[in-house]
Amino acid sequence: MHETSPVSLSRRAALGALGAAAALPLFGRAEAAAPITGIRAPDWYRLRIGEFEATVVQDGPLALGEPAGGFPQHPRDDLTSLLRSNFLPTNALTLDQNCLFLNTGRQLILFDSGVGVTRPFGLGTGLLLANMRAAGLQPEQVDAVVISHAHIDHCWGIIGADGKPNFPNAQIFISKADFDFWTAEDRQNAQGWLGDFVKGARRNLLPVRDRITFVEDGKEVVPGVIAVSAPGHTVGHTVYAIQSGKSRAMFIGDLAHHQVIMLRRPQIEFAFDTDPRLSAQSRLRVLRMLAQERMGIVAYHFPFPGVGHVAAEGEGFGWYPAPWGTDL
Ligand SMILES: [Zn+2]
């Protein structure tokens, strides 16, 4: 009976196939089988937002480790079940870094700049410059670098390894609250990551101080882009509304870091939040508006390219990635 069980049959068939494959070079034409290319899919993605040409360029995925480390106040069981039910690893949290280039026809604007030369969250990061060139964009062409907040993965790509600006012709835009908080001299000796973040922000923002313009809530940053204050994750965290013709979209920075955990549990406290409660309030307010207005989103940390929509569902939100090749 054992000999005829389905398991035995399929195993025997598999072994037989292996034997045939091994014999192929002797008796068959080896070139009949296509070699495995090993070529990665491009780390950039192009779409239109109205008349604007948008290009999402990966800086590389951040390996944050144990999910509970990011959300120490939240029941671990709930994190595990959220991840598991969405077919995501339950023992390792990974966040993509989707830097957005926007060519308005008048200017080339970059939203957030990746981790730059520092790679504490994995060696596969800091790829913005290489990947933007692969997408046909040159650093010298960038007119404006618009920053959501002064954390490592958003503003440390402003200055290169040589201490010079990576985008030599760009003006820098950031909120005054974030600039002041993260470049404060007395804060750089703070314990742990806070001190390190301040040192890195100073390295990236102080050399370009004379090129910085402070953004203000509700005010135009450059034609077609409006700053929307969404504080909490940092004191001056800002998201950016993009408008071209009838198309409207939002670059949401770190309004939500994860497409499941922080949308399904929008009140959750994230370990790197300066003010977790205020962060949750901002998240709810802006996500509700985005859902209600059916506005397109480019999400910095959602799975690449992070382009899609949110819908209000239950006590949270659902994430609906835009089909490949569609515009916003
Ligand atoms: Zn971030």
Side-chain angles (χ1 to χ4, degrees):
M1 284 304 283
H2 280 105
E3 285 300 300
T4 55
S5 75
V7 173
S8 297
L9 275 176
S10 64
R11 185 154 183 269
R12 197 186 295 158
L15 286 170
L18 270 177
L24 202 61
L26 285 176
F27 304 111
R29 291 162 57 87
E31 64 269 29
I36 290 175
T37 67
I39 301 169
R40 282 174 55 86
D43 276 333
W44 56 273
Y45 178 78
R46 190 153 282 143
L47 69 152
R48 281 195 169 267
I49 301 173
E51 295 296 309
F52 298 164
E53 183 186 72
T55 309
V56 181
V57 176
Q58 262 270 35
D59 190 54
L62 299 172
L64 291 198
E66 272 290 331
F71 309 95
Q73 315 296 332
H74 197 77
R76 190 181 283 241
D77 289 355
D78 187 51
L79 291 177
T80 302
S81 90
L82 279 172
L83 292 166
R84 193 177 151 67
S85 60
N86 283 273
F87 300 91
L88 293 167
T90 56
N91 61 351
L93 198 67
T94 303
L95 305 180
D96 278 344
Q97 295 184 91
N98 303 313
C99 303
L100 172 66
F101 288 89
L102 192 68
N103 189 334
T104 66
R106 284 205 259 177
Q107 288 172 305
L108 182 61
I109 302 149
L110 166 63
F111 294 86
D112 286 349
S113 66
V115 297
V117 291
T118 315
R119 291 166 185 152
F121 299 109
L123 294 177
T125 58
L127 305 177
L128 174 64
L129 294 179
N131 287 337
M132 72 178 284
R133 288 189 178 102
L137 302 167
Q138 306 307 321
E140 312 79 58
Q141 297 174 323
V142 177
D143 298 297
V145 178
V146 177
I147 300 290
S148 64
H149 64 297
H151 276 176
I152 169 171
D153 48 326
H154 300 261
C155 93
W156 287 24
I158 292 175
I159 300 292
D162 57 1
K164 298 199 177 116
N166 280 328
F167 307 99
N169 301 313
Q171 299 293 309
I172 314 291
F173 295 84
I174 189 170
S175 69
K176 184 169 190 307
D178 248 46
F179 178 86
D180 288 347
F181 183 97
W182 294 101
T183 61
E185 196 170 0
D186 55 352
R187 204 171 269 125
Q188 60 182 330
N189 298 319
Q191 291 290 309
W193 63 268
L194 180 60
D196 292 340
F197 274 29
V198 171
K199 285 190 200 102
R202 289 170 61 85
R203 180 184 182 276
N204 280 274
L205 292 172
L206 295 183
V208 291
R209 176 65 189 89
D210 59 346
R211 298 184 192 192
I212 292 179
T213 302
F214 294 127
V215 299
E216 286 177 54
D217 184 34
K219 298 263 172 73
E220 190 175 74
V221 181
V222 292
V225 177
I226 291 173
V228 178
S229 183
H233 178 54
T234 61
V235 288
H237 181 259
T238 304
V239 298
Y240 294 96
I242 297 162
Q243 179 144 20
S244 170
K246 286 183 182 160
S247 292
R248 290 167 72 215
M250 186 80 88
F251 177 78
I252 67 166
D254 280 7
L255 188 74
H257 294 77
H258 194 272
Q259 74 281 10
V260 177
I261 295 173
M262 294 177 93
L263 291 192
R264 294 295 171 194
R265 304 285 183 268
Q267 308 272 10
I268 201 166
E269 300 191 0
F270 186 52
F272 291 97
D273 285 344
T274 303
D275 183 339
R277 294 229 170 122
L278 182 59
S279 180
Q281 281 173 23
S282 291
R283 187 177 308 121
L284 276 166
R285 174 173 54 85
V286 178
L287 288 177
R288 275 184 193 136
M289 187 275 286
L290 292 170
Q292 217 156 45
E293 310 252 320
R294 299 174 67 86
M295 245 172 110
I297 289 172
V298 179
Y300 190 73
H301 285 305
F302 289 7
F304 175 78
V307 176
H309 295 84
V310 289
E313 286 173 5
E315 287 168 17
F317 300 87
W319 171 237
Y320 294 88
W324 187 266
T326 53
D327 298 322
L328 290 179

